Amino acid sequence: MKIFEKVADVREFVTNAKRQGKVIGFVPTMGALHEGHLTLMREAKKQCDVVIVSIFVNPTQFGPNEDYAAYPRTWQQDLELCQSVGVDAVLHPDKDEMYPEDWGTWVEVEGLTGVLCGRSRPTHFRGVTTVVTKLFNIVQPDKAFFGQKDAQQVVVLMKMVRDLNMPLEIVVVPIVRDEDGLAKSSRNGYLTAEQRKAALVLRRALNRADVLARQGESNVDFIQSAVRACIELEPLADIDYVEAYTFPGLQPVTELQQKVLIAVAAKFGTTRLIDNIIIEPAGR
Ligand code: PAF
């Protein structure tokens, strides 16, 4: 497995692979890899000839009071995990390689970033779309793999790729959960045992939405309130949002007549977790 720290070096690797007609798969990450990331890499291996993973904790997507400095960095373990699933190359640039001192260009998607996580993290998606654009330009993948857990990120990136005519396909991979139902996240490691147990309420609440939809409930406000009520029963959960939007349009919705994203974010102690489910009208 090759390890690149410089943009020019990974570019040369990609140019050679493309010359041989190889399909390039790309999995951008911020490290602290877990089963969720490995699932993306395995899917990339299945669909592509060469798989490149980036590991870069992107400063521009963290707000001033967020956990950039404390974000888990587990480089050695990450490398072993990448190797274990047959990744071909890891790109691990430092901050100056990605953001030289005189850097000053942003990529911003309008219309989808003011809701859900964008409301409490107003500069987050601008940071994500900017770094992902840079990474796409560096790696020039044919396919890039993202997890459904970050549903809003996926929708925003798909719009960016479409709006800017980026020549690649975004592949979305379903949420990977622990056996008890907690969605895999690099932030789960911050939770105490008690908070971790409490966090299972997110999955329980989202399952409630699914059950209601399957039973024929079509009033989205009612479903959303049921999800909120379920989370409110957990004293350790501090709700940031429980919201419902059309998927993938992220438009307000009152009747369950098409796919609807129910997304939740809550803090357990200082750790903010997100989770979601896509529900459909009964019988579909
Ligand atoms: O999902 C993530 O880990 C990050 O937002 C991403 C896509 C790697 C950009 O930094």
Side-chain angles (χ1 to χ4, degrees), residues 148-152 154-155 172 174-175 177 203 206-207 209-211 213-214 223 245-248 250 256 258-263 275-281:
Q148 175 64 30
K149 175 166 162 285
D150 297 305
Q152 188 175 16
V154 163
V155 168
V172 184
I175 298 179
R177 299 181 179 279
R203 174 61 167 164
L206 292 168
N207 276 346
D210 195 40
V211 168
R214 284 174 198 277
I223 296 175
Y245 293 99
T246 59
F247 188 84
L250 295 192
L256 182 54
Q258 57 172 103
K259 284 187 181 177
V260 166
L261 171 75
I262 309 278
D275 202 346
N276 68 76
I277 194 167
I278 293 167
I279 55 172
E280 293 187 61

PDB file of all heavy atoms in Angstrom, residues 148-152 154-155 172 174-175 177 203 206-207 209-211 213-214 223 245-248 250 256 258-263 275-281:
ATOM      1  N   GLN A 148     -24.396   6.895   4.109  1.00  0.00           N
ATOM      2  CA  GLN A 148     -25.739   7.475   4.263  1.00  0.00           C
ATOM      3  C   GLN A 148     -25.928   8.114   5.642  1.00  0.00           C
ATOM      4  O   GLN A 148     -26.812   8.934   5.845  1.00  0.00           O
ATOM      5  CB  GLN A 148     -26.779   6.366   4.028  1.00  0.00           C
ATOM      6  CG  GLN A 148     -28.216   6.742   4.266  1.00  0.00           C
ATOM      7  CD  GLN A 148     -28.696   7.809   3.291  1.00  0.00           C
ATOM      8  OE1 GLN A 148     -28.225   7.897   2.155  1.00  0.00           O
ATOM      9  NE2 GLN A 148     -29.625   8.630   3.736  1.00  0.00           N
ATOM     10  N   LYS A 149     -25.069   7.735   6.599  1.00  0.00           N
ATOM     11  CA  LYS A 149     -25.221   8.310   7.949  1.00  0.00           C
ATOM     12  C   LYS A 149     -25.158   9.837   7.887  1.00  0.00           C
ATOM     13  O   LYS A 149     -25.898  10.523   8.566  1.00  0.00           O
ATOM     14  CB  LYS A 149     -24.139   7.776   8.878  1.00  0.00           C
ATOM     15  CG  LYS A 149     -24.207   8.440  10.221  1.00  0.00           C
ATOM     16  CD  LYS A 149     -23.384   7.711  11.234  1.00  0.00           C
ATOM     17  CE  LYS A 149     -23.139   8.641  12.393  1.00  0.00           C
ATOM     18  NZ  LYS A 149     -22.141   9.656  12.037  1.00  0.00           N
ATOM     19  N   ASP A 150     -24.254  10.343   7.053  1.00  0.00           N
ATOM     20  CA  ASP A 150     -24.169  11.791   6.875  1.00  0.00           C
ATOM     21  C   ASP A 150     -25.067  12.166   5.696  1.00  0.00           C
ATOM     22  O   ASP A 150     -24.599  12.599   4.634  1.00  0.00           O
ATOM     23  CB  ASP A 150     -22.714  12.200   6.597  1.00  0.00           C
ATOM     24  CG  ASP A 150     -21.823  11.863   7.777  1.00  0.00           C
ATOM     25  OD1 ASP A 150     -22.118  12.298   8.891  1.00  0.00           O
ATOM     26  OD2 ASP A 150     -20.835  11.123   7.591  1.00  0.00           O
ATOM     27  N   ALA A 151     -26.373  11.990   5.900  1.00  0.00           N
ATOM     28  CA  ALA A 151     -27.324  12.113   4.786  1.00  0.00           C
ATOM     29  C   ALA A 151     -27.267  13.494   4.142  1.00  0.00           C
ATOM     30  O   ALA A 151     -27.296  13.625   2.916  1.00  0.00           O
ATOM     31  CB  ALA A 151     -28.739  11.833   5.287  1.00  0.00           C
ATOM     32  N   GLN A 152     -27.174  14.531   4.967  1.00  0.00           N
ATOM     33  CA  GLN A 152     -27.151  15.883   4.399  1.00  0.00           C
ATOM     34  C   GLN A 152     -25.863  16.105   3.607  1.00  0.00           C
ATOM     35  O   GLN A 152     -25.873  16.691   2.523  1.00  0.00           O
ATOM     36  CB  GLN A 152     -27.267  16.927   5.520  1.00  0.00           C
ATOM     37  CG  GLN A 152     -27.443  18.340   4.995  1.00  0.00           C
ATOM     38  CD  GLN A 152     -27.674  19.352   6.095  1.00  0.00           C
ATOM     39  OE1 GLN A 152     -27.426  19.074   7.270  1.00  0.00           O
ATOM     40  NE2 GLN A 152     -28.144  20.530   5.745  1.00  0.00           N
ATOM     41  N   VAL A 154     -24.205  13.892   1.984  1.00  0.00           N
ATOM     42  CA  VAL A 154     -24.347  13.177   0.714  1.00  0.00           C
ATOM     43  C   VAL A 154     -25.168  14.001  -0.283  1.00  0.00           C
ATOM     44  O   VAL A 154     -24.794  14.152  -1.449  1.00  0.00           O
ATOM     45  CB  VAL A 154     -25.021  11.796   0.979  1.00  0.00           C
ATOM     46  CG1 VAL A 154     -25.572  11.211  -0.297  1.00  0.00           C
ATOM     47  CG2 VAL A 154     -24.046  10.843   1.628  1.00  0.00           C
ATOM     48  N   VAL A 155     -26.280  14.553   0.195  1.00  0.00           N
ATOM     49  CA  VAL A 155     -27.165  15.313  -0.691  1.00  0.00           C
ATOM     50  C   VAL A 155     -26.446  16.569  -1.198  1.00  0.00           C
ATOM     51  O   VAL A 155     -26.512  16.923  -2.385  1.00  0.00           O
ATOM     52  CB  VAL A 155     -28.463  15.682   0.076  1.00  0.00           C
ATOM     53  CG1 VAL A 155     -29.280  16.693  -0.688  1.00  0.00           C
ATOM     54  CG2 VAL A 155     -29.297  14.434   0.340  1.00  0.00           C
ATOM     55  N   VAL A 172     -23.465   5.946  -2.658  1.00  0.00           N
ATOM     56  CA  VAL A 172     -23.908   6.090  -1.266  1.00  0.00           C
ATOM     57  C   VAL A 172     -24.088   4.699  -0.651  1.00  0.00           C
ATOM     58  O   VAL A 172     -24.757   3.847  -1.226  1.00  0.00           O
ATOM     59  CB  VAL A 172     -25.230   6.878  -1.188  1.00  0.00           C
ATOM     60  CG1 VAL A 172     -25.626   7.105   0.261  1.00  0.00           C
ATOM     61  CG2 VAL A 172     -25.094   8.204  -1.923  1.00  0.00           C
ATOM     62  N   PRO A 174     -25.187   2.262   2.684  1.00  0.00           N
ATOM     63  CA  PRO A 174     -26.081   2.331   3.857  1.00  0.00           C
ATOM     64  C   PRO A 174     -25.331   2.474   5.189  1.00  0.00           C
ATOM     65  O   PRO A 174     -24.162   2.113   5.298  1.00  0.00           O
ATOM     66  CB  PRO A 174     -26.819   0.985   3.822  1.00  0.00           C
ATOM     67  CG  PRO A 174     -26.702   0.505   2.429  1.00  0.00           C
ATOM     68  CD  PRO A 174     -25.428   1.062   1.873  1.00  0.00           C
ATOM     69  N   ILE A 175     -26.056   2.958   6.200  1.00  0.00           N
ATOM     70  CA  ILE A 175     -25.482   3.179   7.542  1.00  0.00           C
ATOM     71  C   ILE A 175     -25.017   1.845   8.127  1.00  0.00           C
ATOM     72  O   ILE A 175     -25.721   0.844   8.041  1.00  0.00           O
ATOM     73  CB  ILE A 175     -26.542   3.796   8.479  1.00  0.00           C
ATOM     74  CG1 ILE A 175     -26.987   5.157   7.957  1.00  0.00           C
ATOM     75  CG2 ILE A 175     -26.015   3.908   9.913  1.00  0.00           C
ATOM     76  CD1 ILE A 175     -28.062   5.849   8.791  1.00  0.00           C
ATOM     77  N   ARG A 177     -24.074  -0.122  11.577  1.00  0.00           N
ATOM     78  CA  ARG A 177     -24.391   0.021  13.009  1.00  0.00           C
ATOM     79  C   ARG A 177     -23.672  -1.021  13.840  1.00  0.00           C
ATOM     80  O   ARG A 177     -23.366  -2.114  13.349  1.00  0.00           O
ATOM     81  CB  ARG A 177     -25.909  -0.136  13.224  1.00  0.00           C
ATOM     82  CG  ARG A 177     -26.701   0.915  12.498  1.00  0.00           C
ATOM     83  CD  ARG A 177     -28.211   0.786  12.732  1.00  0.00           C
ATOM     84  NE  ARG A 177     -28.868   1.864  12.001  1.00  0.00           N
ATOM     85  CZ  ARG A 177     -28.971   3.109  12.452  1.00  0.00           C
ATOM     86  NH1 ARG A 177     -28.507   3.416  13.658  1.00  0.00           N
ATOM     87  NH2 ARG A 177     -29.546   4.038  11.720  1.00  0.00           N
ATOM     88  N   ARG A 203     -31.575   5.362  17.712  1.00  0.00           N
ATOM     89  CA  ARG A 203     -32.017   4.285  16.821  1.00  0.00           C
ATOM     90  C   ARG A 203     -33.456   3.854  17.157  1.00  0.00           C
ATOM     91  O   ARG A 203     -34.271   3.626  16.271  1.00  0.00           O
ATOM     92  CB  ARG A 203     -31.031   3.107  16.953  1.00  0.00           C
ATOM     93  CG  ARG A 203     -31.412   1.856  16.210  1.00  0.00           C
ATOM     94  CD  ARG A 203     -31.514   2.098  14.724  1.00  0.00           C
ATOM     95  NE  ARG A 203     -31.573   0.863  13.989  1.00  0.00           N
ATOM     96  CZ  ARG A 203     -31.961   0.779  12.735  1.00  0.00           C
ATOM     97  NH1 ARG A 203     -32.317   1.859  12.087  1.00  0.00           N
ATOM     98  NH2 ARG A 203     -31.976  -0.381  12.113  1.00  0.00           N
ATOM     99  N   LEU A 206     -35.851   6.393  15.776  1.00  0.00           N
ATOM    100  CA  LEU A 206     -35.974   6.331  14.313  1.00  0.00           C
ATOM    101  C   LEU A 206     -36.745   5.084  13.883  1.00  0.00           C
ATOM    102  O   LEU A 206     -37.509   5.110  12.915  1.00  0.00           O
ATOM    103  CB  LEU A 206     -34.581   6.370  13.671  1.00  0.00           C
ATOM    104  CG  LEU A 206     -33.862   7.713  13.841  1.00  0.00           C
ATOM    105  CD1 LEU A 206     -32.392   7.593  13.450  1.00  0.00           C
ATOM    106  CD2 LEU A 206     -34.540   8.807  13.018  1.00  0.00           C
ATOM    107  N   ASN A 207     -36.560   3.998  14.635  1.00  0.00           N
ATOM    108  CA  ASN A 207     -37.334   2.786  14.340  1.00  0.00           C
ATOM    109  C   ASN A 207     -38.825   3.045  14.514  1.00  0.00           C
ATOM    110  O   ASN A 207     -39.655   2.520  13.788  1.00  0.00           O
ATOM    111  CB  ASN A 207     -36.917   1.638  15.261  1.00  0.00           C
ATOM    112  CG  ASN A 207     -35.694   0.925  14.717  1.00  0.00           C
ATOM    113  OD1 ASN A 207     -35.318   1.103  13.555  1.00  0.00           O
ATOM    114  ND2 ASN A 207     -35.041   0.146  15.558  1.00  0.00           N
ATOM    115  N   ALA A 209     -40.351   5.767  13.900  1.00  0.00           N
ATOM    116  CA  ALA A 209     -40.816   6.445  12.672  1.00  0.00           C
ATOM    117  C   ALA A 209     -41.094   5.412  11.590  1.00  0.00           C
ATOM    118  O   ALA A 209     -42.103   5.481  10.878  1.00  0.00           O
ATOM    119  CB  ALA A 209     -39.759   7.438  12.196  1.00  0.00           C
ATOM    120  N   ASP A 210     -40.203   4.450  11.485  1.00  0.00           N
ATOM    121  CA  ASP A 210     -40.346   3.423  10.458  1.00  0.00           C
ATOM    122  C   ASP A 210     -41.615   2.597  10.700  1.00  0.00           C
ATOM    123  O   ASP A 210     -42.389   2.335   9.767  1.00  0.00           O
ATOM    124  CB  ASP A 210     -39.099   2.533  10.478  1.00  0.00           C
ATOM    125  CG  ASP A 210     -38.996   1.694   9.236  1.00  0.00           C
ATOM    126  OD1 ASP A 210     -39.294   2.222   8.149  1.00  0.00           O
ATOM    127  OD2 ASP A 210     -38.654   0.499   9.347  1.00  0.00           O
ATOM    128  N   VAL A 211     -41.822   2.223  11.965  1.00  0.00           N
ATOM    129  CA  VAL A 211     -43.007   1.419  12.303  1.00  0.00           C
ATOM    130  C   VAL A 211     -44.275   2.207  11.969  1.00  0.00           C
ATOM    131  O   VAL A 211     -45.200   1.688  11.340  1.00  0.00           O
ATOM    132  CB  VAL A 211     -42.963   1.011  13.808  1.00  0.00           C
ATOM    133  CG1 VAL A 211     -44.304   0.436  14.253  1.00  0.00           C
ATOM    134  CG2 VAL A 211     -41.835   0.020  14.061  1.00  0.00           C
ATOM    135  N   ALA A 213     -44.697   4.603   9.819  1.00  0.00           N
ATOM    136  CA  ALA A 213     -44.865   4.716   8.365  1.00  0.00           C
ATOM    137  C   ALA A 213     -45.392   3.401   7.794  1.00  0.00           C
ATOM    138  O   ALA A 213     -46.307   3.394   6.960  1.00  0.00           O
ATOM    139  CB  ALA A 213     -43.543   5.100   7.716  1.00  0.00           C
ATOM    140  N   ARG A 214     -44.832   2.304   8.252  1.00  0.00           N
ATOM    141  CA  ARG A 214     -45.282   0.994   7.745  1.00  0.00           C
ATOM    142  C   ARG A 214     -46.724   0.711   8.122  1.00  0.00           C
ATOM    143  O   ARG A 214     -47.439  -0.005   7.434  1.00  0.00           O
ATOM    144  CB  ARG A 214     -44.393  -0.130   8.296  1.00  0.00           C
ATOM    145  CG  ARG A 214     -43.056  -0.203   7.602  1.00  0.00           C
ATOM    146  CD  ARG A 214     -42.152  -1.227   8.285  1.00  0.00           C
ATOM    147  NE  ARG A 214     -40.776  -1.019   7.908  1.00  0.00           N
ATOM    148  CZ  ARG A 214     -40.229  -1.482   6.787  1.00  0.00           C
ATOM    149  NH1 ARG A 214     -40.946  -2.191   5.953  1.00  0.00           N
ATOM    150  NH2 ARG A 214     -38.972  -1.231   6.508  1.00  0.00           N
ATOM    151  N   ILE A 223     -45.295  11.896  12.912  1.00  0.00           N
ATOM    152  CA  ILE A 223     -44.159  10.958  12.982  1.00  0.00           C
ATOM    153  C   ILE A 223     -42.959  11.647  13.637  1.00  0.00           C
ATOM    154  O   ILE A 223     -42.307  11.103  14.528  1.00  0.00           O
ATOM    155  CB  ILE A 223     -43.802  10.438  11.564  1.00  0.00           C
ATOM    156  CG1 ILE A 223     -44.972   9.639  10.989  1.00  0.00           C
ATOM    157  CG2 ILE A 223     -42.522   9.599  11.593  1.00  0.00           C
ATOM    158  CD1 ILE A 223     -44.796   9.174   9.548  1.00  0.00           C
ATOM    159  N   TYR A 245     -37.545  15.977   6.063  1.00  0.00           N
ATOM    160  CA  TYR A 245     -37.505  16.648   4.756  1.00  0.00           C
ATOM    161  C   TYR A 245     -37.673  15.606   3.662  1.00  0.00           C
ATOM    162  O   TYR A 245     -37.366  14.422   3.874  1.00  0.00           O
ATOM    163  CB  TYR A 245     -36.152  17.356   4.542  1.00  0.00           C
ATOM    164  CG  TYR A 245     -35.956  18.518   5.487  1.00  0.00           C
ATOM    165  CD1 TYR A 245     -35.196  18.368   6.633  1.00  0.00           C
ATOM    166  CD2 TYR A 245     -36.554  19.751   5.232  1.00  0.00           C
ATOM    167  CE1 TYR A 245     -35.033  19.428   7.521  1.00  0.00           C
ATOM    168  CE2 TYR A 245     -36.403  20.810   6.109  1.00  0.00           C
ATOM    169  CZ  TYR A 245     -35.639  20.642   7.248  1.00  0.00           C
ATOM    170  OH  TYR A 245     -35.494  21.683   8.119  1.00  0.00           O
ATOM    171  N   THR A 246     -38.082  16.062   2.504  1.00  0.00           N
ATOM    172  CA  THR A 246     -38.100  15.154   1.365  1.00  0.00           C
ATOM    173  C   THR A 246     -36.669  14.678   1.112  1.00  0.00           C
ATOM    174  O   THR A 246     -35.706  15.397   1.409  1.00  0.00           O
ATOM    175  CB  THR A 246     -38.596  15.860   0.084  1.00  0.00           C
ATOM    176  OG1 THR A 246     -37.718  16.971  -0.182  1.00  0.00           O
ATOM    177  CG2 THR A 246     -40.019  16.359   0.236  1.00  0.00           C
ATOM    178  N   PHE A 247     -36.551  13.482   0.588  1.00  0.00           N
ATOM    179  CA  PHE A 247     -35.220  12.977   0.267  1.00  0.00           C
ATOM    180  C   PHE A 247     -35.187  12.537  -1.191  1.00  0.00           C
ATOM    181  O   PHE A 247     -36.057  11.803  -1.627  1.00  0.00           O
ATOM    182  CB  PHE A 247     -34.874  11.786   1.177  1.00  0.00           C
ATOM    183  CG  PHE A 247     -33.445  11.361   1.025  1.00  0.00           C
ATOM    184  CD1 PHE A 247     -32.448  12.006   1.725  1.00  0.00           C
ATOM    185  CD2 PHE A 247     -33.102  10.330   0.147  1.00  0.00           C
ATOM    186  CE1 PHE A 247     -31.116  11.634   1.571  1.00  0.00           C
ATOM    187  CE2 PHE A 247     -31.772   9.961  -0.007  1.00  0.00           C
ATOM    188  CZ  PHE A 247     -30.785  10.616   0.699  1.00  0.00           C
ATOM    189  N   PRO A 248     -34.226  13.025  -1.971  1.00  0.00           N
ATOM    190  CA  PRO A 248     -33.059  13.797  -1.576  1.00  0.00           C
ATOM    191  C   PRO A 248     -33.202  15.313  -1.682  1.00  0.00           C
ATOM    192  O   PRO A 248     -32.205  16.025  -1.481  1.00  0.00           O
ATOM    193  CB  PRO A 248     -32.003  13.306  -2.571  1.00  0.00           C
ATOM    194  CG  PRO A 248     -32.766  13.011  -3.818  1.00  0.00           C
ATOM    195  CD  PRO A 248     -34.146  12.584  -3.400  1.00  0.00           C
ATOM    196  N   LEU A 250     -34.491  17.597   0.247  1.00  0.00           N
ATOM    197  CA  LEU A 250     -34.423  18.353   1.509  1.00  0.00           C
ATOM    198  C   LEU A 250     -35.385  19.537   1.520  1.00  0.00           C
ATOM    199  O   LEU A 250     -35.040  20.634   1.954  1.00  0.00           O
ATOM    200  CB  LEU A 250     -32.992  18.822   1.829  1.00  0.00           C
ATOM    201  CG  LEU A 250     -31.933  17.762   2.108  1.00  0.00           C
ATOM    202  CD1 LEU A 250     -30.672  18.396   2.689  1.00  0.00           C
ATOM    203  CD2 LEU A 250     -32.438  16.673   3.054  1.00  0.00           C
ATOM    204  N   LEU A 256     -46.583  12.068   3.965  1.00  0.00           N
ATOM    205  CA  LEU A 256     -45.640  11.034   3.524  1.00  0.00           C
ATOM    206  C   LEU A 256     -46.135  10.441   2.194  1.00  0.00           C
ATOM    207  O   LEU A 256     -46.869   9.452   2.167  1.00  0.00           O
ATOM    208  CB  LEU A 256     -45.530   9.950   4.615  1.00  0.00           C
ATOM    209  CG  LEU A 256     -44.559   8.796   4.354  1.00  0.00           C
ATOM    210  CD1 LEU A 256     -43.165   9.292   4.030  1.00  0.00           C
ATOM    211  CD2 LEU A 256     -44.516   7.861   5.547  1.00  0.00           C
ATOM    212  N   GLN A 258     -43.778  10.409  -0.520  1.00  0.00           N
ATOM    213  CA  GLN A 258     -42.549  10.026  -1.226  1.00  0.00           C
ATOM    214  C   GLN A 258     -41.518   9.715  -0.139  1.00  0.00           C
ATOM    215  O   GLN A 258     -41.853   9.726   1.041  1.00  0.00           O
ATOM    216  CB  GLN A 258     -42.082  11.192  -2.085  1.00  0.00           C
ATOM    217  CG  GLN A 258     -41.862  12.447  -1.237  1.00  0.00           C
ATOM    218  CD  GLN A 258     -41.219  13.572  -2.008  1.00  0.00           C
ATOM    219  OE1 GLN A 258     -41.876  14.517  -2.396  1.00  0.00           O
ATOM    220  NE2 GLN A 258     -39.919  13.453  -2.224  1.00  0.00           N
ATOM    221  N   LYS A 259     -40.284   9.486  -0.536  1.00  0.00           N
ATOM    222  CA  LYS A 259     -39.257   9.219   0.465  1.00  0.00           C
ATOM    223  C   LYS A 259     -39.055  10.446   1.349  1.00  0.00           C
ATOM    224  O   LYS A 259     -38.923  11.561   0.843  1.00  0.00           O
ATOM    225  CB  LYS A 259     -37.922   8.899  -0.214  1.00  0.00           C
ATOM    226  CG  LYS A 259     -37.882   7.514  -0.791  1.00  0.00           C
ATOM    227  CD  LYS A 259     -36.503   7.174  -1.293  1.00  0.00           C
ATOM    228  CE  LYS A 259     -36.521   5.776  -1.883  1.00  0.00           C
ATOM    229  NZ  LYS A 259     -35.276   5.368  -2.466  1.00  0.00           N
ATOM    230  N   VAL A 260     -39.030  10.208   2.665  1.00  0.00           N
ATOM    231  CA  VAL A 260     -38.808  11.311   3.609  1.00  0.00           C
ATOM    232  C   VAL A 260     -37.652  10.940   4.536  1.00  0.00           C
ATOM    233  O   VAL A 260     -37.587   9.825   5.058  1.00  0.00           O
ATOM    234  CB  VAL A 260     -40.097  11.594   4.424  1.00  0.00           C
ATOM    235  CG1 VAL A 260     -39.798  12.487   5.620  1.00  0.00           C
ATOM    236  CG2 VAL A 260     -41.144  12.259   3.534  1.00  0.00           C
ATOM    237  N   LEU A 261     -36.758  11.899   4.691  1.00  0.00           N
ATOM    238  CA  LEU A 261     -35.620  11.717   5.595  1.00  0.00           C
ATOM    239  C   LEU A 261     -36.024  12.219   6.977  1.00  0.00           C
ATOM    240  O   LEU A 261     -36.446  13.361   7.122  1.00  0.00           O
ATOM    241  CB  LEU A 261     -34.435  12.545   5.088  1.00  0.00           C
ATOM    242  CG  LEU A 261     -33.230  12.650   6.023  1.00  0.00           C
ATOM    243  CD1 LEU A 261     -32.425  11.349   6.027  1.00  0.00           C
ATOM    244  CD2 LEU A 261     -32.332  13.825   5.618  1.00  0.00           C
ATOM    245  N   ILE A 262     -35.924  11.335   7.972  1.00  0.00           N
ATOM    246  CA  ILE A 262     -36.084  11.784   9.360  1.00  0.00           C
ATOM    247  C   ILE A 262     -34.678  11.784   9.939  1.00  0.00           C
ATOM    248  O   ILE A 262     -34.018  10.731   9.996  1.00  0.00           O
ATOM    249  CB  ILE A 262     -36.974  10.825  10.180  1.00  0.00           C
ATOM    250  CG1 ILE A 262     -38.299  10.530   9.475  1.00  0.00           C
ATOM    251  CG2 ILE A 262     -37.190  11.373  11.594  1.00  0.00           C
ATOM    252  CD1 ILE A 262     -39.372  11.555   9.634  1.00  0.00           C
ATOM    253  N   ALA A 263     -34.213  12.958  10.331  1.00  0.00           N
ATOM    254  CA  ALA A 263     -32.827  13.076  10.795  1.00  0.00           C
ATOM    255  C   ALA A 263     -32.812  13.640  12.208  1.00  0.00           C
ATOM    256  O   ALA A 263     -33.614  14.515  12.544  1.00  0.00           O
ATOM    257  CB  ALA A 263     -32.048  13.990   9.850  1.00  0.00           C
ATOM    258  N   ASP A 275     -28.005  10.760  13.395  1.00  0.00           N
ATOM    259  CA  ASP A 275     -28.485   9.488  12.851  1.00  0.00           C
ATOM    260  C   ASP A 275     -29.693   9.819  11.971  1.00  0.00           C
ATOM    261  O   ASP A 275     -30.218  10.936  12.025  1.00  0.00           O
ATOM    262  CB  ASP A 275     -28.877   8.535  13.987  1.00  0.00           C
ATOM    263  CG  ASP A 275     -28.870   7.060  13.557  1.00  0.00           C
ATOM    264  OD1 ASP A 275     -28.830   6.796  12.337  1.00  0.00           O
ATOM    265  OD2 ASP A 275     -28.920   6.190  14.437  1.00  0.00           O
ATOM    266  N   ASN A 276     -30.114   8.887  11.148  1.00  0.00           N
ATOM    267  CA  ASN A 276     -31.276   9.172  10.302  1.00  0.00           C
ATOM    268  C   ASN A 276     -31.878   7.898   9.765  1.00  0.00           C
ATOM    269  O   ASN A 276     -31.274   6.816   9.844  1.00  0.00           O
ATOM    270  CB  ASN A 276     -30.872  10.098   9.135  1.00  0.00           C
ATOM    271  CG  ASN A 276     -29.941   9.407   8.148  1.00  0.00           C
ATOM    272  OD1 ASN A 276     -30.363   8.577   7.338  1.00  0.00           O
ATOM    273  ND2 ASN A 276     -28.652   9.718   8.222  1.00  0.00           N
ATOM    274  N   ILE A 277     -33.070   8.065   9.223  1.00  0.00           N
ATOM    275  CA  ILE A 277     -33.733   6.956   8.524  1.00  0.00           C
ATOM    276  C   ILE A 277     -34.524   7.558   7.368  1.00  0.00           C
ATOM    277  O   ILE A 277     -34.973   8.710   7.464  1.00  0.00           O
ATOM    278  CB  ILE A 277     -34.661   6.181   9.493  1.00  0.00           C
ATOM    279  CG1 ILE A 277     -35.084   4.845   8.877  1.00  0.00           C
ATOM    280  CG2 ILE A 277     -35.889   6.998   9.884  1.00  0.00           C
ATOM    281  CD1 ILE A 277     -35.740   3.911   9.889  1.00  0.00           C
ATOM    282  N   ILE A 278     -34.664   6.787   6.301  1.00  0.00           N
ATOM    283  CA  ILE A 278     -35.511   7.245   5.204  1.00  0.00           C
ATOM    284  C   ILE A 278     -36.777   6.390   5.228  1.00  0.00           C
ATOM    285  O   ILE A 278     -36.674   5.151   5.164  1.00  0.00           O
ATOM    286  CB  ILE A 278     -34.777   7.139   3.859  1.00  0.00           C
ATOM    287  CG1 ILE A 278     -33.617   8.148   3.871  1.00  0.00           C
ATOM    288  CG2 ILE A 278     -35.710   7.439   2.693  1.00  0.00           C
ATOM    289  CD1 ILE A 278     -32.621   7.978   2.788  1.00  0.00           C
ATOM    290  N   ILE A 279     -37.917   7.052   5.405  1.00  0.00           N
ATOM    291  CA  ILE A 279     -39.166   6.320   5.449  1.00  0.00           C
ATOM    292  C   ILE A 279     -39.925   6.531   4.141  1.00  0.00           C
ATOM    293  O   ILE A 279     -39.692   7.517   3.425  1.00  0.00           O
ATOM    294  CB  ILE A 279     -40.047   6.714   6.665  1.00  0.00           C
ATOM    295  CG1 ILE A 279     -40.297   8.234   6.693  1.00  0.00           C
ATOM    296  CG2 ILE A 279     -39.416   6.253   7.970  1.00  0.00           C
ATOM    297  CD1 ILE A 279     -41.299   8.666   7.747  1.00  0.00           C
ATOM    298  N   GLU A 280     -40.810   5.569   3.867  1.00  0.00           N
ATOM    299  CA  GLU A 280     -41.572   5.649   2.613  1.00  0.00           C
ATOM    300  C   GLU A 280     -43.043   5.397   2.918  1.00  0.00           C
ATOM    301  O   GLU A 280     -43.342   4.775   3.947  1.00  0.00           O
ATOM    302  CB  GLU A 280     -41.086   4.573   1.634  1.00  0.00           C
ATOM    303  CG  GLU A 280     -39.690   4.804   1.161  1.00  0.00           C
ATOM    304  CD  GLU A 280     -39.306   3.809   0.062  1.00  0.00           C
ATOM    305  OE1 GLU A 280     -39.969   3.810  -0.991  1.00  0.00           O
ATOM    306  OE2 GLU A 280     -38.356   3.049   0.283  1.00  0.00           O
ATOM    307  N   PRO A 281     -43.951   5.815   2.051  1.00  0.00           N
ATOM    308  CA  PRO A 281     -45.372   5.523   2.294  1.00  0.00           C
ATOM    309  C   PRO A 281     -45.586   4.017   2.407  1.00  0.00           C
ATOM    310  O   PRO A 281     -44.908   3.243   1.741  1.00  0.00           O
ATOM    311  CB  PRO A 281     -46.062   6.067   1.033  1.00  0.00           C
ATOM    312  CG  PRO A 281     -45.100   7.016   0.416  1.00  0.00           C
ATOM    313  CD  PRO A 281     -43.734   6.575   0.817  1.00  0.00           C
TER     314      PRO A 281
END
